[in-house]
C-alpha cells in the first residue's frame, strides 16, 4: 500500500480554447496538488498490478485583451448571470484573465513492472484511470476588478478516462518500507465535448511511502 502526494501541471495539445473567443495574449497552466493511495499486488518478484483512488486538482489561466466586445465563450461556459453582465463589468479593463479550476477523482488500473530491484530501485507502470469530475469553476479578474466567479465549463464531461505512464524511483528503507518519487503522465481521453479540437494532459511529480504486508 502506498499513499502519495504531489504537484501536477495541466497542459493542452491544440489551439482551440474553450474559455474564450477573444484575442489571447497569454495562456498557461499552473501547478496544483494531487494525492491518493495505491494498492499493489505482486504476481512475481518483478510483475504485478495496482489499483487506487486519488484526487487530482488542475488550473489554467487565459489572458485576453479587450479588443473584442465579448470575451466569454458562450458556447462552453454556463454563467451564473447573463454574459453581457460580465462583458460590461470588465469593459474598462485593458486585459482580463479567465481561470478554470477543476478537480477529478481518479481510479487507476495499471500493470506494474520492476526494472531494477536493488536498495535504490526503478519500476514503471502503464494503464488507465477513470476520471470523475468534481470541482468545475470559471473565474474572471483584472487589475481593476477582483477575482469573480462566472460559472462553470459546460463542455467538460462528468466521466472520462486517461492513459497513464509512470516511473518509480524508490529507496528501500527497510525490508517492508520504501520511499518513492514518481513522475507521472496522464493523457485525457474524451474529457470534453471538443476532443477533436484539443486534448488535455497532466504531468505530475509525486512522492510517498510504501509499506509491504
Amino acid at each position: 500500500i502506498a499513499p502519495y502526494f504531489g504537484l501536477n501541471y495541466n497542459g493542452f495539445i491544440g489551439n482551440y480554447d474553450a474559455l474564450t473567443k477573444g484575442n489571447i495574449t497569454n495562456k498557461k497552466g499552473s501547478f496544483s496538488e494531487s494525492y491518493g493511495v495505491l494498492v499493489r499486488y505482486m504476481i512475481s518478484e518483478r510483475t504485478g498490478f495496482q489499483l487506487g483512488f486519488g484526487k487530482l486538482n488542475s488550473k489554467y489561466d487565459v489572458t485576453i485583451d479587450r479588443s473584442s466586445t465579448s470575451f466569454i465563450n458562450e458556447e462552453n461556459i454556463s454563467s451564473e448571470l447573463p454574459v453581457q453582465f460580465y462583458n460590461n463589468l470588465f469593459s474598462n479593463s485593458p486585459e482580463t484573465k479567465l481561470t478554470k479550476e477543476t478537480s477529478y477523482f481518479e481510479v487507476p488500473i495499471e500493470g506494474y513492472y520492476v526494472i531494477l530491484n536493488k536498495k535504490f530501485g526503478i519500476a514503471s507502470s502503464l494503464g488507465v484511470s477513470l476520471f470523475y469530475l468534481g470541482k468545475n469553476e470559471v473565474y474572471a479578474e483584472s487589475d481593476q476588478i477582483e477575482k469573480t466567479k462566472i460559472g462553470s465549463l459546460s463542455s467538460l464531461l462528468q466521466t472520462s478516462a486517461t492513459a497513464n505512464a509512470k516511473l518509480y524511483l524508490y529507496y528501500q528503507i527497510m525490508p517492508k518500507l520504501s520511499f518513492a518519487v514518481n513522475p507521472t503522465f496522464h493523457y485525457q481521453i474524451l474529457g470534453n465535448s471538443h476532443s477533436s479540437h484539443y486534448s488535455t494532459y497532466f504531468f505530475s511529480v509525486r512522492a510517498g511511502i510504501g509499506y509491504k504486508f
Side-chain angles (χ1 to χ4, degrees), residues 162-190:
T162 61
N164 309 335
K166 301 176 182 178
L167 183 67
Y168 303 82
L169 308 173
Y170 64 87
Y171 174 72
Q172 202 72 39
I173 303 170
M174 298 168 58
K176 291 184 176 291
L177 191 67
S178 63
F179 173 78
V181 174
N182 62 297
T184 300
F185 182 78
H186 292 73
Y187 180 82
Q188 194 169 25
I189 303 166
L190 297 177

Side-chain angles (χ1 to χ4, degrees), residues 7-199:
L7 295 177
N8 63 271
Y9 177 84
N10 180 197
F12 298 88
I13 300 172
N15 295 321
Y16 180 83
D17 193 277
L19 293 179
T20 183
K21 292 182 177 179
N23 183 29
I24 298 173
T25 59
N26 189 30
K27 179 178 179 178
K28 63 177 183 178
S30 299
F31 287 96
S32 303
E33 71 278 1
S34 61
Y35 48 88
V37 63
L38 292 170
V39 178
R40 185 176 303 133
Y41 177 77
M42 299 302 293
I43 301 170
S44 68
E45 186 177 338
R46 290 186 177 271
T47 60
F49 64 89
Q50 58 188 20
L51 305 173
F53 181 79
K55 186 178 182 183
L56 186 150
N57 299 310
S58 70
K59 177 181 176 182
Y60 89 97
D61 303 320
V62 174
T63 303
I64 314 110
D65 70 30
R66 291 313 312 276
S67 59
S68 174
T69 55
S70 178
F71 67 98
I72 298 173
N73 192 336
E74 299 178 49
E75 296 176 2
N76 297 324
I77 294 180
S78 299
S79 57
E80 298 184 347
L81 295 171
V83 168
Q84 192 57 44
F85 170 83
Y86 300 106
N87 287 325
N88 294 336
L89 181 64
F90 289 90
S91 60
N92 295 322
S93 301
E95 287 189 330
T96 301
K97 182 171 77 173
L98 290 174
T99 300
K100 183 197 76 168
E101 297 182 6
T102 56
S103 68
Y104 289 95
F105 296 101
E106 176 191 5
V107 180
I109 306 167
E110 299 166 336
Y112 182 83
Y113 181 74
V114 177
I115 300 169
L116 179 64
N117 191 11
K118 302 288 186 181
K119 194 171 183 67
F120 287 96
I122 302 173
S124 64
S125 66
L126 294 172
V128 297
S129 286
L130 300 178
F131 268 30
Y132 301 95
L133 183 63
K135 181 180 181 181
N136 176 14
E137 296 177 353
V138 177
Y139 297 87
E141 63 182 298
S142 69
D143 291 339
Q144 288 79 22
I145 300 176
E146 64 183 15
K147 190 174 181 179
T148 303
K149 183 180 178 182
I150 292 178
S152 61
L153 196 58
S154 58
S155 58
L156 291 182
L157 301 181
Q158 290 295 318
T159 305
S160 61
T162 61
N164 309 335
K166 301 176 182 178
L167 183 67
Y168 303 82
L169 308 173
Y170 64 87
Y171 174 72
Q172 202 72 39
I173 303 170
M174 298 168 58
K176 291 184 176 291
L177 191 67
S178 63
F179 173 78
V181 174
N182 62 297
T184 300
F185 182 78
H186 292 73
Y187 180 82
Q188 194 169 25
I189 303 166
L190 297 177
N192 61 82
S193 57
H194 299 290
S195 293
S196 60
H197 299 293
Y198 77 99
S199 301

